[in-house]
Amino acid sequence: MTVDPTSNAFDIEIDVLVVGAGGCGLVAAIAAEAGGASVAVVEKLTRLAGNTLLSSGSIPGAGTRLQAEAGVEDGPERFVADLLAVSGPHEAEHLTRRLAATSAELVEWLIDEAHVTLTLVGTYRHVGHSVTRLHAPPSRRGADLVADLEREASARGIPVALGQPATSLILRGGRVVGVVTRDAEGRESRIGAGAVILASNGFGGAPDLVAAHCPEARGTTYAGAPGSTGEALAWGLELGAATGNLGAYQGHAGLARRSGALVTWTVIERGGIIVDRNGRRIGDETLGYSAFAGVEAAADAPLYMIYDARIEADVASGQPEFAEIAEMGDAAAGADAADLADAIGVHADALGATLADAANAAAGGEDAFGRTAWGFGPLGAPLRATEITPGLFHTQGGLMIDDDARVLRPDGSAIAGLFAGGGAAAGISGRAGGRGYVSGNGLLSALGLGYIAGRAAARDTAAKRAAE
Ligand SMILES: Cc1cc2nc3c(=O)[nH]c(=O)nc-3n(C[C@H](O)[C@H](O)[C@H](O)COP(=O)(O)OP(=O)(O)OC[C@H]3O[C@@H](n4cnc5c(N)ncnc54)[C@H](O)[C@@H]3O)c2cc1C
């Protein structure tokens, strides 16, 4: 922390300074500029490569016009009920309500004002949503979402300085008044700002912080972006900020071990199962991809997702990334259970018995793990298997904020001049562990809180100017 009681010596002064050029930061910058503020973004990496770019770009919106056109009845109350049913009680339920209430406005603003191309995802519903609610780029790639946001920021003349990590906040009279950045040559810049928005994501890329706060995720492979190393949390704690839901994370139980590609959970929704090295199932796969990552972390690797050619064709037709898994040779094939067991090196009798039990459950019998949803029903020949490993995508806890994304102290007072969103802020995925994550929670927190923070920061700086 740089405490600066008197000096006015800033290299540049602007209304709103955004730290991090991911989904949260770019949306915050666009929203603040739209609110009349002068804005700049500083980004640690030399190119845009945050989690938003790695994501499939799915953003939930409850009550959007796209849903209405598709005949889907939805609204914030239903969305809040869905979110809380999965997350359980947690430390930031006010954000669950705030984000659900803002979600439709956010999706429509992204389309109309930020010129992001989004369509309602009808091919899959995904974990935790009782209706079709996810909106995504047609390609289902976060890279397209980021490209659209970057284009919009550029069209609005918002500078995005790459390779300029923020290294500390500047504090004057108890108020955050700017940040210090340092470039690759070690040159420091002091940027003065009426408001600073921390959009630098969480701490998934800092193994010591993951071990301290999310011990259950220790056995997983970090598959998120390299920039998520927890600076916002460290700065906030130094300033005496409160934190929320620090133990929560988004896992993914379907990382293809060889290629690192993501095996979409739609394969499970269609009837796929997961087996361990002994050819036995390890739990109810329909718990969801985040919750099941914790189950896998405690299981006997190698692990395989087993599906059939019908599921492969169906999912590949709607999700091009999944089609690439077969193209990359990451899907072993077997004419029957014995043939597949031979191809992946598990015991044929054990795999045969597992598939017979699963087929019986999928046909209406009882499942030992209590699974009741089996998609297309029993798996049939020819079969497929992809070796998978559990991944950690994103931490879901961070600085406690209010309904306007202002960073709060434990007594509920706001730290003047400081906002946070996305992975830098407390999430809405439960108190701890990977079980509270509903599809889209990551981007809803990132883009939703970016939208809220950008607008509030622009309002604050306009009021400050008017008072001067
Ligand atoms: C493979 C994958 C798939 C996913 N799919 C989805 C999905 O479909 N839907 C969903 O809702 N969520 C998804 N998620 C989660 C989602 O991507 C994240 O929750 C979200 O992108 C976080 O956005 P953010 O803006 O907070 O962080 P990021 O997009 O990571 O942006 C943060 C930026 O800040 C920069 N930064 C960090 N420290 C500093 C610093 N000191 N100074 C300057 N810059 C800094 C980083 O380099 C980075 O560019 C997925 C995650 C992964 C890994």
Side-chain angles (χ1 to χ4, degrees):
M1 189 71 46
T2 305
V3 179
D4 186 4
T6 52
S7 166
N8 275 323
F10 291 120
D11 297 300
I12 322 166
E13 281 192 67
I14 45 164
D15 292 334
V16 178
L17 191 275
V18 180
V19 178
C24 179
L26 291 171
V27 165
I30 294 165
E33 195 277 341
S38 60
V39 186
V41 184
V42 293
E43 165 56 45
K44 177 198 278 187
L45 304 177
T46 51
R47 62 194 175 89
L48 298 191
N51 262 18
T52 308
L53 190 121
L54 298 177
S55 78
S56 56
S58 310
I59 308 148
T64 67
R65 64 170 186 262
L66 286 76
Q67 288 177 303
E69 282 158 15
V72 178
E73 277 183 39
D74 196 14
E77 277 171 29
R78 181 175 188 145
F79 189 16
V80 168
D82 286 353
L83 288 169
L84 291 177
V86 177
S87 70
H90 62 85
E91 293 160 5
E93 290 180 29
H94 62 293
L95 296 179
T96 300
R97 288 187 289 276
R98 176 77 164 119
L99 285 167
T102 312
S103 63
E105 179 185 327
L106 168 72
V107 166
E108 294 182 8
W109 177 86
L110 285 167
I111 296 169
D112 298 337
E113 303 297 328
H115 305 112
V116 173
T117 304
L118 294 175
T119 55
L120 184 65
V121 178
T123 44
Y124 55 96
R125 189 184 295 162
H126 264 166
V127 179
H129 296 283
S130 60
V131 293
T132 298
R133 186 183 280 145
L134 296 176
H135 302 70
S139 64
R140 311 284 183 256
R141 290 181 200 270
D144 286 346
L145 169 65
V146 171
D148 284 352
L149 291 172
E150 191 185 7
R151 193 176 313 113
E152 181 65 20
S154 165
R156 290 172 182 264
I158 299 169
V160 178
L162 301 175
Q164 285 284 341
T167 53
S168 68
L169 302 179
I170 304 174
L171 197 65
R172 187 184 294 160
R175 182 183 180 91
V176 173
V177 292
V179 305
V180 179
T181 68
R182 186 179 299 125
D183 69 14
E185 278 75 49
R187 280 187 301 259
E188 284 199 341
S189 300
R190 292 162 53 85
I191 307 174
V196 172
I197 300 176
L198 299 177
S200 49
N201 207 341
F203 52 85
D208 51 334
L209 293 178
V210 172
H213 299 299
C214 311
E216 201 190 285
R218 261 187 305 207
T220 59
T221 304
Y222 179 57
S228 305
T229 46
E231 289 93 320
L233 180 64
W235 296 328
L237 288 174
E238 229 183 303
L239 282 173
T243 59
N245 299 329
L246 267 192
Y249 65 90
Q250 177 197 3
H252 202 296
L255 276 189
R257 202 192 59 79
R258 269 175 8 111
S259 63
L262 195 62
V263 189
T264 168
W265 216 242
T266 314
V267 173
I268 297 297
E269 288 174 5
R270 299 288 190 262
I273 61 170
I274 289 168
V275 301
D276 65 7
R277 65 180 308 132
N278 307 307
R280 299 201 183 96
R281 283 177 59 222
I282 54 175
D284 173 4
E285 299 85 352
T286 60
L287 272 177
Y289 54 76
S290 183
F292 209 70
V295 177
E296 288 183 357
D300 258 351
L303 304 165
Y304 298 93
M305 194 181 289
I306 312 280
Y307 46 104
D308 61 20
R310 180 174 53 155
I311 294 176
E312 181 179 55
D314 175 77
V315 178
S317 69
Q319 299 183 59
E321 214 177 324
F322 178 71
E324 288 168 15
I325 288 182
E327 285 159 21
M328 288 186 292
D330 234 354
D336 55 24
D339 197 25
L340 188 71
D342 191 39
I344 60 178
V346 303
H347 198 281
D349 290 347
L351 185 62
T354 296
L355 282 164
D357 286 349
N360 178 49
E366 199 152 321
D367 177 47
F369 297 103
R371 177 168 170 176
T372 53
W374 292 91
F376 293 160
L379 297 177
L383 293 162
R384 301 281 185 265
T386 298
E387 188 180 341
I388 52 168
T389 189
L392 168 65
F393 272 9
H394 187 235
T395 52
Q396 293 284 307
L399 301 176
M400 186 54 84
I401 54 172
D402 70 8
D403 274 357
D404 276 336
R406 295 172 207 281
V407 177
L408 297 177
R409 299 185 184 86
D411 66 5
S413 64
I415 296 175
L418 193 62
F419 295 78
I428 56 170
S429 304
R431 258 186 241 277
R435 289 177 182 247
Y437 187 83
V438 168
S439 288
N441 274 8
L443 285 180
L444 180 62
S445 295
L447 308 191
L449 292 173
Y451 176 67
I452 288 167
R455 286 155 61 96
R459 277 199 309 274
D460 275 13
T461 51
K464 201 165 149 240
R465 252 200 317 269
E468 280 165 3

